[in-house]
Amino acid sequence: MSIMQDYEDAKEMIGLDKYNAIEKYLDIVCPQEKCDEYFKELNKNLNLPIEKQLLLQRQLATKMNIILLSDVLYKKEEWDKFDKWYNEDYLHRKVEILNIWESTYDDMRCNANLYQNNKLIANIIININECDVMSVVGTNSNIDYNKVFKSIIYSKFKEYSELPKISKCSKLLQKVYDEVCNSDNEMCYVTNDDWKELFSNQFDRKDIEKLKEEVKKLKIDNVITFNDGEYKILGWGNLALCFNDNRDFNKSKNKDKER
């Protein structure tokens, strides 16, 4: 396969807009005049054996701090630097990790704030598994979970920022959501006795019917169930992943589970 075909495949994989942004990034970190000087020096040694040319190329690139398109595309360290620039400086996005914890579902979770153009737009919880971690750090045993979560959130920033706003939901759904987010077992259990004792002074049958309609509309029937065994309402742990909690951006969830 040709180098040009490799670049075309990379362009298709990462998307045209992001691919084109690499050129703007390279203009900043390695201006064309520096590249011209680098290649001029290399051309002076074309008569050397290929092994010595390659050695000289590596030495000169290090000495002059040369970053090329191929470096960004195929060297993880350079790609990570570009990706950070692309999100934070080019798209003016920012991810603030509030805390990280190991959940009762054998995954890692984080609570994060998302910013666009210096404006706080979302507070979310996401989860990752071992495969997600490997996709970011490879086989590196020294895992920086803060970096891992930031990388994954940036890769799906638009998707996460467009999660339904919990403030637009009913008070009963908000309560179930809060119970899931803040309980030690990351579940919300509501028996008939719980309903009478803790809910009936705020909610009635109409609220339950409204909640059922919301669950259907939002397609979250896999994380909120009704009349499940002894439970009138059951909120499952992944309900925490379904919303942008825009009610109080400064409130960090699961503070006691910080890692």
Side-chain angles (χ1 to χ4, degrees):
M1 183 178 293
S2 68
I3 294 177
M4 291 305 297
Q5 185 59 52
D6 285 345
Y7 287 165
E8 287 299 317
D9 291 344
K11 185 187 300 185
E12 183 176 350
M13 182 176 66
I14 69 177
L16 182 60
D17 290 343
K18 191 169 186 178
Y19 184 88
N20 289 339
I22 298 177
E23 182 178 353
K24 296 180 174 65
Y25 171 74
L26 291 175
D27 285 341
I28 296 171
V29 299
C30 189
Q32 186 60 47
E33 54 268 25
K34 182 189 285 191
C35 290
D36 291 342
E37 183 182 351
Y38 166 72
F39 286 112
K40 183 178 179 180
E41 288 297 317
L42 289 181
N43 289 336
K44 292 178 181 179
N45 298 277
L46 293 178
N47 60 324
L48 293 175
I50 187 64
E51 295 83 0
K52 290 188 177 182
Q53 287 188 45
L54 292 174
L55 176 60
L56 177 64
Q57 179 180 330
R58 291 194 294 269
Q59 292 174 338
L60 197 58
T62 300
K63 179 181 178 181
M64 299 180 65
N65 194 26
I66 297 298
I67 309 297
L68 304 175
L69 174 60
S70 57
D71 296 317
V72 175
L73 291 177
Y74 303 118
K75 294 182 180 179
K76 179 170 174 50
E77 181 181 356
E78 296 302 333
W79 173 262
D80 289 345
K81 291 177 184 177
F82 162 71
D83 196 48
K84 184 176 185 294
W85 172 88
Y86 177 73
N87 282 284
E88 298 182 2
D89 298 318
Y90 186 71
L91 295 180
H92 305 292
R93 296 169 171 174
K94 179 184 174 184
V95 173
E96 177 188 18
I97 305 298
L98 300 178
N99 59 65
I100 298 170
W101 68 95
E102 187 172 353
S103 80
T104 56
Y105 296 89
D106 296 325
D107 59 18
M108 297 298 298
R109 301 194 174 197
C110 88
N111 180 207
N113 281 336
L114 276 56
Y115 298 80
Q116 180 72 63
N117 296 318
N118 293 320
K119 181 181 179 182
L120 186 52
I121 60 171
N123 174 277
I124 62 170
I125 292 177
I126 77 161
N127 69 328
I128 59 174
N129 55 37
E130 186 175 345
C131 290
D132 296 321
V133 175
M134 292 288 287
S135 70
V136 176
V137 303
T139 58
N140 191 342
S141 59
N142 297 318
I143 301 173
D144 182 347
Y145 281 102
N146 193 289
K147 180 179 179 180
V148 171
F149 275 109
K150 277 190 175 183
S151 177
I152 290 173
I153 292 172
Y154 277 137
S155 71
K156 298 181 179 179
F157 190 92
K158 188 173 186 294
E159 176 183 330
Y160 288 130
S161 65
E162 293 178 350
L163 284 172
K165 296 178 179 178
I166 194 68
S167 66
K168 301 293 185 181
C169 300
S170 70
K171 294 299 181 183
L172 181 52
L173 178 48
Q174 291 183 37
K175 186 171 180 62
V176 175
Y177 169 83
D178 286 336
E179 288 289 328
V180 168
C181 291
N182 297 310
S183 66
D184 290 337
N185 56 17
E186 294 167 295
M187 293 282 291
C188 174
Y189 303 99
V190 184
T191 64
N192 284 316
D193 290 340
D194 293 330
W195 179 265
K196 292 176 183 178
E197 182 179 351
L198 304 172
F199 289 78
S200 60
N201 62 331
Q202 303 176 59
F203 308 103
D204 56 24
R205 181 179 57 80
K206 291 182 180 179
D207 293 303
I208 293 182
E209 293 306 315
K210 182 176 181 180
L211 177 60
K212 289 180 178 179
E213 292 174 3
E214 286 179 298
V215 167
K216 184 177 181 180
K217 180 180 179 181
L218 294 168
K219 299 179 180 179
I220 54 173
D221 54 316
N222 60 325
V223 289
I224 295 183
T225 55
F226 302 92
N227 302 316
D228 191 340
E230 63 183 296
Y231 301 108
K232 190 179 188 73
I233 302 173
L234 190 56
W236 298 83
N238 282 354
L239 176 63
L241 313 178
C242 297
F243 292 95
N244 165 13
D245 188 356
N246 62 323
R247 296 167 300 173
D248 184 357
F249 284 130
N250 295 317
K251 183 179 179 182
S252 175
K253 301 174 179 64
N254 285 291
K255 288 182 179 179
D256 58 328
K257 295 182 181 180
E258 286 190 19
R259 176 186 173 120

